[in-house]
Amino acid sequence: MSKNDENIFQSLIAGGLIGAALGALLSKDKEEGATIGALAGAVILATYKANEQAQKTNLPVYVEEDGKLYEIQPGGIKRFIKDIPKPDFVPNKYFKLK
């Protein structure tokens, strides 16, 4: 992980965008779970960087907040699109990977 990526992680953790437990998992280097931490970290960084790039395109960005879909224009204007219904499917609390 590069120094810049580490700085992004620290700012996301400090800003509350990554919970403390996930932050601890991501910061593991040689302990058990490092692979999962690295994978989760790569996903979070890719999402963060994709969001940054999307904001530079002068195209609207769509976000979900509290079960509602919004369009955010490049100028920062936020427009409500629709409510997103909650799914009827409830996944099992516990499951096994095979």
Side-chain angles (χ1 to χ4, degrees), residues 21-43:
L22 181 57
L25 178 66
L26 297 177
S27 64
K28 287 184 179 183
D29 286 335
K30 296 181 181 180
E31 297 177 24
E32 185 177 329
T35 302
I36 295 171
L39 186 59
V43 169

Side-chain angles (χ1 to χ4, degrees), residues 2-13:
S2 74
K3 186 67 173 168
N4 185 39
D5 291 348
E6 183 65 31
N7 290 338
I8 291 171
F9 270 141
Q10 295 306 321
S11 65
L12 291 173
I13 291 168

Side-chain angles (χ1 to χ4, degrees), residues 39-62:
L39 186 59
V43 169
I44 291 169
L45 279 173
T47 302
Y48 177 80
K49 290 179 180 182
N51 185 37
E52 283 184 331
Q53 292 299 317
Q55 291 176 359
K56 295 177 185 177
T57 63
N58 287 328
L59 294 172
V61 176
Y62 295 88

Side-chain angles (χ1 to χ4, degrees), residues 5 9 20 24 32 44 51 54 63 68 72 80 84-85 91 93 97:
D5 291 348
F9 270 141
E32 185 177 329
I44 291 169
N51 185 37
V63 297
K68 299 179 184 321
I72 302 176
F80 172 77
I84 300 174
K93 186 173 182 178
L97 297 176

